[in-house]
Amino acid sequence: MCGIVGYIGKNEAAPILLEGLKRLEYRGYDSAGIAVINSAGVKCIKSVGRVKKLEKLLLKKKIGSNIGIAHTRWATHGKPSIANAHPHFTTHKNIFVVHNGIIENYQELKDQLKKKGHKFVTDTDSEVIAHLIEDCYHPTRKDSDDKPKGHFEKAVKAALKKIIGAYGLAIICRDEPDKIVAARYGSPLLIGIGKKEKIIASDAAAVIGRTKKVIYLEDGEIAVINGSKIKVSNIYSAKGSEASGKSIKKKINTITWGQDEISKAGYNHFMAKEIHEAPEVIINSTRGRCIAARSLAKLGGLESVKKELKNISRLIIVACGTARNAGLVGEYMIEEAAGIPVEVEYASEFRYRGPIVNKNTAVMAISQSGETADTLAAIKEAKKQDALTLGIVNVVGSSITRETDAGVYNHIGPEIAVASTKAYISEIIILALLTVFLGKTHKNMSAKKAKEILYEIEKLPKKVQSIFGQEQIIKKIARKYKRSDNFLYLGRKYNYPTALEGALKLKEISYIHAEGHPTGEMKHGPIAMIEPDFPSVFITPKDSVYEKNISGIEEVKARDGKIICIATQGDKKISKLADDVIYIPKTIEMLTPILAALPLHLLAYYIGVGKGYNVDKPRNLAKSVTVE
Ligand code: AGP
């Protein structure tokens, strides 16, 4: 997620803007920039890397300004570079914009604006916003089709009505240097009310150093801030008196959190925050990609290789750790629903075992960081053997994305906790979209089947949210078992990878020994470990292998092992068999791993917290393993 700061007030703007960016650094970013207005016009400075670098560039310049905007960029479109850093502006250098969010129809808008003579200098979606506003604002240019008589606020409204997507914006205008415009749709934005100054920000962390009084903008609201006045109105036509852009009365709130709680959004740890982000993770990963009514999974990043994808006879997924567990879910999805053979490889093994790869093989990396050395090396090996190389990656412009022929970004913002949770959810969702994409491309999937999957994906955010209602139960279970020395995690078919993921999360967060196995594998060895009080976690949603799982549970029960089940809401049979049950909503079989992962991530989290460990930074682990 990008960080936005805007300032207008009696003090020098630049130092306050920089201080705000520093307080937003926890959000993760790859570049930063600032634009301030003074008597000489607009001064805009950008840098790649840390905010400190931007600060050094500014120190050399005496800017003398009391109005400006600033930004830390988490790349979604276009790699980290000075040009792609915000603020964005046009050749007129009149309108300057900082943006947090994703513009879905940016390409179409860009093409239209290019036809009007606009010159673009970046590959970002955000730059389109500056051109769009300029196009609506500039009264002298003949070609502008929205002429709001050079009124900054009206030009912004006219432009925003053409945008489809999510935005949090702060905008300044050289020709109207006494005001800042802020607007919000889908990305948080607030206005700090200080002593003779106002600070716009994407979250409270940037303002609490100067004020605790804030106004929160709601989706569809625009604010014009000049001097002591703040005018908030609706961007889109609203019912009743506000339709004509009349002022909306806004409540002034007082922030009670400190800096640390704010960066964790009130959670005690980033891991907890990121687990609870799951509903918005699903929304952001599928935004503009899940068109159920047209049985269409739109993966723009794969369009350039659609022809090659039509001819692949096999897909190999290479990944590590949690990313590989997601890949295993993808294997079941794509083989069962898209009819394409899939193998999932440990990336660290792939290149040493002399893999058989050719031009009809696609090799796909799954990696949150995009920097995992083993996964990068596997992709390089695949390229050497003429395979089509793909990626599902969260960090734009990372090494793996630069190495692969094409891919899909997660668009879920930085994952700070070492334990990968929200990335796992996102990777599975994208694999479900890929299953539809490949199934349709290979003509192995009917429109009906595609719609069934896509409509169910649309329902997931609410279903995921409902799982958090079990959080107290999960906490209790964690307290009950946190002293166990061993755990077994068991699941079948789509939830065999869930068993692996649950075991991995517990190991890395609580340091307890845990193994994941297919339930059917119990009798071939693992069951020898079962003794009274030995906890086994069974993932047993109502699916095609439910009865088979029940027999696994009974095998453990017969030996007085403790049984914890992840089961489908309403399943009474399970509560008679298990010692503890966590219920998840019903969904189609291939999507159960998404719902089942959440209780397991929370269980690992609460056991780790209960043991007093640093769950965000577990011992011996790194967030990105950039060494082999
Ligand atoms: C997961 O919780 C671990 N932190 C680790 O297994 C991780 O998934 C693995 O190192 C792969 O990282 P990547 O997704 O950034 O490539």
Side-chain angles (χ1 to χ4, degrees), residues 470-529:
Q470 308 248 347
E471 195 141 2
Q472 290 315 315
I473 294 170
I474 297 167
K475 235 171 166 173
K476 204 158 78 28
I477 296 170
R479 260 198 307 277
K480 184 172 170 184
Y481 294 98
K482 70 179 183 181
R483 286 180 197 77
S484 306
D485 296 325
N486 302 284
F487 271 78
L488 257 188
Y489 285 75
L490 299 146
R492 281 180 188 268
K493 206 174 167 192
Y494 283 102
N495 287 298
Y496 157 49
T498 310
L500 295 178
E501 173 60 12
L504 173 63
K505 258 330 142 276
L506 186 72
K507 273 183 278 207
E508 59 176 331
I509 295 303
S510 70
Y511 317 148
I512 293 174
H513 170 246
E515 292 178 16
H517 292 287
T519 309
E521 201 51 22
M522 277 287 282
K523 51 191 169 304
H524 302 289
I527 198 159
M529 294 191 286

Side-chain angles (χ1 to χ4, degrees), residues 159-181:
L160 294 183
K161 284 174 182 157
K162 298 180 182 179
I163 283 176
I164 301 169
Y167 54 78
L169 294 167
I171 312 156
I172 53 176
C173 173
R174 181 201 57 216
D175 296 351
E176 298 184 36
D178 60 343
K179 59 179 77 86
I180 289 190
V181 172

Side-chain angles (χ1 to χ4, degrees), residues 537-574:
V537 180
F538 283 88
I539 300 104
T540 50
K542 277 285 178 75
D543 58 12
S544 61
V545 287
Y546 175 76
E547 291 309 332
K548 292 282 176 213
N549 274 323
I550 296 292
S551 46
I553 292 172
E554 279 157 351
E555 283 165 24
V556 171
K557 200 165 178 60
R559 292 156 180 85
D560 296 332
K562 285 283 180 242
I563 294 158
I564 303 164
C565 276
I566 309 292
T568 302
Q569 276 162 2
D571 182 346
K572 300 262 179 298
K573 185 173 180 181
I574 283 287

Side-chain angles (χ1 to χ4, degrees), residues 123-389:
D123 9 319
T124 67
D125 57 333
S126 306
E127 187 192 5
V128 169
I129 304 171
H131 286 264
L132 208 48
I133 297 170
E134 191 68 57
D135 190 57
C136 295
Y137 179 82
H138 218 274
T140 52
R141 247 210 337 276
K142 302 280 168 295
D143 53 12
S144 165
D145 49 12
D146 293 286
K147 289 190 181 51
K149 294 183 276 308
H151 190 303
F152 182 19
E153 177 193 358
K154 283 196 183 136
V156 173
K157 280 191 174 181
L160 294 183
K161 284 174 182 157
K162 298 180 182 179
I163 283 176
I164 301 169
Y167 54 78
L169 294 167
I171 312 156
I172 53 176
C173 173
R174 181 201 57 216
D175 296 351
E176 298 184 36
D178 60 343
K179 59 179 77 86
I180 289 190
V181 172
R184 172 203 160 138
Y185 194 87
S187 295
L189 206 60
L190 56 85
I191 302 166
I193 319 273
K195 286 196 189 62
K196 295 201 174 73
E197 63 181 18
K198 306 285 183 301
I199 306 171
I200 298 159
S202 27
D203 83 38
V207 306
I208 55 165
R210 300 188 71 83
T211 179
K212 298 217 171 204
K213 300 222 167 304
V214 295
I215 288 174
Y216 294 105
L217 289 187
E218 301 302 331
D219 279 356
E221 289 183 345
I222 183 169
V224 180
I225 305 131
N226 57 343
S228 59
K229 282 207 296 315
I230 300 178
K231 185 196 148 209
V232 179
S233 61
N234 279 312
I235 298 162
Y236 308 100
S237 56
K239 299 233 176 341
S241 63
E242 293 155 3
S244 55
K246 281 222 171 52
S247 279
I248 301 170
K249 193 142 181 41
K250 298 295 285 183
K251 176 169 173 285
I252 297 181
N253 305 276
T254 305
I255 303 168
T256 52
W257 283 343
Q259 163 82 33
D260 195 35
E261 293 88 329
I262 286 172
S263 50
K264 292 171 189 154
Y267 292 100
N268 293 329
H269 302 95
F270 281 111
M271 184 177 174
K273 171 176 174 277
E274 288 158 6
I275 292 172
H276 287 83
E277 275 179 42
E280 68 192 79
V281 159
I282 294 170
I283 292 168
N284 288 333
S285 303
T286 57
R287 188 190 301 282
R289 295 170 167 172
C290 181
I291 299 117
R294 288 167 45 206
S295 67
L296 179 64
K298 207 166 148 220
L299 297 174
L302 298 183
E303 284 305 321
S304 62
V305 294
K306 200 160 184 178
K307 202 165 59 37
E308 292 87 333
L309 280 171
K310 249 199 196 84
N311 302 321
I312 61 162
S313 55
R314 189 163 65 111
L315 170 67
I316 297 176
I317 295 173
V318 291
C320 303
T322 284
R324 178 178 170 275
N325 294 337
L328 283 168
V329 176
E331 173 181 356
Y332 285 99
M333 288 176 165
I334 296 167
E335 289 209 341
E336 181 173 70
I340 298 170
V342 179
E343 284 157 53
V344 177
E345 295 275 355
Y346 285 105
S348 55
E349 285 294 300
F350 179 73
R351 66 178 165 151
Y352 296 117
R353 68 168 195 71
I356 299 168
V357 168
N358 58 38
K359 63 180 178 20
N360 291 332
T361 310
V363 177
M364 180 167 72
I366 301 178
S367 175
Q368 189 286 130
S369 63
E371 298 299 344
T372 300
D374 289 323
T375 309
L376 179 58
I379 284 294
K380 286 182 175 169
E381 177 61 27
K383 279 190 88 155
K384 264 194 256 163
Q385 301 193 36
D386 288 339
L388 171 67
T389 53

